[in-house]
Amino acid sequence: MPGTQYITNMPAEQLKHLAIHVPGGMEYAVSEVAPWQLAVTKGSLAASIFVGAFVAYCDFKVHVGTVPDGNSQLVLERNTPWWTGFIGVGRVKTKARELADAYGNAILSQGFQVLHRADN
């Protein structure tokens, strides 16, 4: 899945806490699917199938962990709801970018550095 990766000097446990609370404040549903993996969702799959591009169905995965140099990593993977067409996919990309930016801003606001950001 395409998405965004952050490398930061924030401790992994604190980054996981941030990964849960940032989307919650943006009206996403957040659930832990594995110890360091979250499902972040917004919208309805059924509604996206019936009304297509008019509904942004966000079904994101967020992974938190450490990298070999001891820093922490947050990866936001976005879905690509092809059945909503070009416009619907564009709306999901925009929502993913907004969430990724919110993650970056939250890292910085807590006094940590964003050492690397990669978008794909």
Side-chain angles (χ1 to χ4, degrees), residues 2-5 60-63 74-78 96 99-100 103:
T4 302
Q5 174 198 39
F60 304 148
K61 304 292 181 247
V62 178
H63 308 271
L74 181 144
V75 177
L76 168 64
E77 295 180 359
R78 68 171 171 78
L99 180 56
Y103 277 138

Side-chain angles (χ1 to χ4, degrees), residues 4 18 24 33-34 36 48 52 69 77 80 86 107 109:
T4 302
L18 180 139
V33 294
W36 294 92
S48 74
D69 66 3
E77 295 180 359
T80 306
F86 182 73
I107 291 167
S109 73

Side-chain angles (χ1 to χ4, degrees), residues 7-8 74 87 101 114:
I7 304 292
T8 178
L74 181 144
I87 294 170
D101 291 345
V114 172

Side-chain angles (χ1 to χ4, degrees), residues 42-44 48 52-58 81 88 91-92 95:
K42 189 177 204 178
S44 164
S48 74
F54 298 106
V55 175
Y57 172 62
C58 302
R91 288 184 180 185
V92 171
K95 295 288 186 188

Side-chain angles (χ1 to χ4, degrees), residues 42-52 55-59 79 81 83-84:
K42 189 177 204 178
S44 164
L45 174 60
S48 74
I49 291 170
F50 291 113
V51 292
V55 175
Y57 172 62
C58 302
D59 183 17
N79 61 317
W83 61 91
T84 62

